[in-house]
Amino acid sequence: MRLTIGAGVVLASVVAAANCGGGPAPPVSSSPAASAASFELEEMTVDALQEAMSAGRLTARRIAELYLARIDAIDRSGPKLGSVIEINPDALSIADVLDRERKEKGARGPLHGIPVLIKDNIDTADRMMTTAGSLALEGPAPDRDAFVVTRLREAGAVILGKTNLSEWANFRSTKSVSGWSARGGLVRNPYALDRNACGSSSGTGAAISANLAAVGLGTETDGSIVCPSAVNGLVGIKPTVGLASRAGIVPISHTQDTPGPMTRTVRDAAIVLNAIAAIDARDAATAAADRHITDYTRDLSPGALKGVRLGVMRGRFTGYSPPADRVFEDAIGRLKALGAEIVDPVDLPNAGAYDDSELEVLLYEFKADLNAYLASRKGLRVKTLADVIAFNAAQRDKEMPHFGQELFVMAEKKGPLTDKAYLEALAKGRRLAGAEGIDQALRTHRLDALIAPTVSPAWTIDLVNGDHYLGSSSTPGAVAGYPSITVPAGMTSGLPVGISFIGTAWSEAALIRYAYAFEQGSKARLAPRLVTTGYDR
């Protein structure tokens, strides 16, 4: 059973999962634009781009121009990935300013002049809109940048544009199609254009994987970063809730929402996390991060897995996708070869026992948090969730051609956050997923982290029946508010599969070290070929 909340979340009380089906694979069919994969900046890391700028071989403007041309060739033309919803009209002028600053003062840091694509539910006070993919939010730009955008600008990043997403971060319908929004249309997976890019950070996942920018930013409530990262062959970090500010981000849940990096390498993800992790007076949850923020690029070593105890989550976290399981078993063997001590299996206490309470919390918080966010935005045609429901009904042909707004209606019926039902569900989820779930498993087995397949390989796009979602490992960490990181683990039938490293609160630094060592020891990421249907290479 599943509900997609910005990705795929297993919520047994909602709706049965569809079977992906099987049968023999048809032959590979090349896209007419497959040759566009040959690209001057192909797979270039942040460090490589910085070295090229320092040596004078590239400028920030030239890098931005190359990525913009790539977007035009692959996203707007050719395969038409549909991953970029809007281009920043000021991107090149910002790059020019940063080039002059580099000459006069030197670089601010590793993100100076680096193009970033950010999800279209993150506020930018510029000439771009922030709509969460909804026509209801079209109109004036926000008056103020999201705090994470401020941090990226201060680090010298070039905000290249906004990425498409599952509309309203996939918290609208129980039968949604991940990666579809009324404003942006459908995002396609660059590994196979007939496959889903997952969500809700679908556009960021597809765009960064297809080399449309150097790095990207997504958001997650439950799976929204790690699922699109995994099925698009990326590294995705879902931080501890409170490590990075949510101020200025269209909300679902103040207890589970978080922004996070989506990149092609672990080091690039750590560089982005360094930029956005900070205390923000606008987000009270970040006050708890004061003692935990560190340099996440420090101590990255290929040998970091030696002696590390990793627990293999099985039960409901494996078995739903035999192809993903095969890649995962190979990854376990690689981890052993890299020196990790594997404890297999580890039963995660209470797995699935908090699915109902998670949905209850999200419905309550979505209504309260969205109403507060909309009230802060000037010039919008909607000011409440009720207004959005009415707008969607009036614009049914444009807003609801494929699926409805059942979750909106359910949320609108909820009362205030003082309701006993909400408070009990919140306490139950946090306890069962956190202290009596992940923490208990780590303590009982003396583990440094837990591992599991992130999600199944990408499923075929189905605008009639919705997502063919099978399962994932994102929910325990999401409900607990704990961090996880997904890393490419291998390929099956031409599609990426990710492995997730999951830990207790504020354990990002350790998880990043483990993920980096696995990445360096496996080199599992393969760039997408932009084929119509992807199967064994």
Side-chain angles (χ1 to χ4, degrees), residues 347-351 354 427-441 443 482:
D347 290 327
L348 187 66
N350 307 310
Y354 36 81
K428 175 184 175 183
R430 284 177 165 174
R431 173 173 54 82
L432 294 182
E436 297 178 12
I438 292 173
D439 290 338
Q440 183 172 319
R443 183 172 56 253
Y482 290 179

Side-chain angles (χ1 to χ4, degrees), residues 28-275:
V28 171
S29 174
S30 294
S31 161
S35 60
S38 178
F39 176 51
E40 183 176 340
L41 304 182
E42 182 84 1
E43 298 292 285
M44 284 189 72
T45 64
V46 168
D47 288 341
L49 291 169
Q50 285 297 341
E51 193 277 329
M53 285 189 282
S54 296
R57 297 192 303 275
L58 288 171
T59 62
R61 182 185 180 91
R62 179 58 179 159
I63 292 169
E65 288 175 337
L66 288 168
Y67 281 126
L68 288 171
R70 174 82 165 173
I71 290 169
D72 187 61
I74 289 178
D75 208 64
R76 307 297 170 86
S77 308
K80 294 185 178 179
L81 292 177
S83 64
V84 179
I85 204 168
E86 189 169 4
I87 295 294
N88 185 357
D90 300 317
L92 295 181
S93 61
I94 292 170
D96 286 340
V97 170
L98 291 165
D99 281 332
R100 288 196 296 271
E101 182 179 323
R102 181 185 291 271
K103 289 181 179 179
E104 295 170 1
K105 301 178 182 179
R108 300 182 192 182
L111 286 180
H112 189 110
I114 300 296
V116 179
L117 284 169
I118 66 173
K119 189 175 177 180
D120 182 42
N121 63 345
I122 303 175
D123 287 351
T124 55
D126 51 22
R127 291 197 285 163
M128 293 188 289
M129 292 186 285
T130 300
T131 69
S134 172
L135 301 178
L137 297 190
E138 286 186 328
D143 291 336
R144 187 174 182 180
D145 280 341
F147 184 74
V148 290
V149 173
T150 298
R151 293 283 298 179
L152 288 171
R153 294 194 201 275
E154 290 173 347
V158 178
I159 308 299
L160 196 64
K162 296 282 190 77
T163 53
N164 198 4
L165 69 161
S166 309
E167 186 173 316
W168 293 106
N170 233 353
F171 198 74
R172 199 189 85 182
S173 173
T174 58
K175 298 177 176 62
S176 66
V177 177
S178 292
W180 183 90
S181 73
R183 183 178 173 224
L186 180 66
V187 181
R188 296 184 179 275
N189 191 306
Y191 287 89
L193 301 178
D194 64 343
R195 297 272 163 172
N196 197 280
C198 200
S200 64
S201 306
S202 317
T204 306
I208 301 308
S209 185
N211 285 267
L212 304 189
V215 293
L217 201 64
T219 67
E220 176 161 331
T221 304
D222 187 333
S224 279
I225 289 172
V226 296
C227 183
S229 293
V231 304
N232 289 286
L234 295 180
V235 174
I237 299 178
K238 197 286 284 191
T240 302
V241 172
L243 185 64
S245 172
R246 289 82 53 80
I249 298 176
V250 181
I252 292 177
S253 159
H254 60 267
T255 58
Q256 291 187 202
D257 290 351
T258 179
M262 298 172 67
T263 63
R264 292 182 293 271
T265 70
V266 173
R267 179 171 169 80
D268 281 358
I271 288 171
V272 174
L273 188 59
N274 277 348

Side-chain angles (χ1 to χ4, degrees), residues 331 334 338 487-490 499 515-525:
R334 175 62 59 183
L338 292 169
V487 186
I499 181 174
Y516 178 82
F518 176 78
E519 172 193 61
Q520 296 303 301
S522 60
K523 301 292 185 181
R525 171 171 162 83

Side-chain angles (χ1 to χ4, degrees), residues 501-514:
F501 294 82
I502 301 165
T504 190
W506 315 112
S507 63
E508 284 84 357
L511 298 181
I512 290 169
R513 289 197 301 272
Y514 308 153

Side-chain angles (χ1 to χ4, degrees), residues 315-325 452-457 469-473:
R316 63 193 282 132
F317 304 110
T318 58
Y320 56 81
S321 170
D325 287 348
T454 305
V455 68
S456 70
Y469 177 78
L470 296 177
S472 78
S473 56

Side-chain angles (χ1 to χ4, degrees), residues 338-362:
L338 292 169
E341 298 178 17
I342 303 297
V343 180
D344 186 4
V346 168
D347 290 327
L348 187 66
N350 307 310
Y354 36 81
D355 289 348
D356 290 350
S357 60
E358 180 187 19
L359 178 59
E360 185 80 348
V361 168
L362 298 185

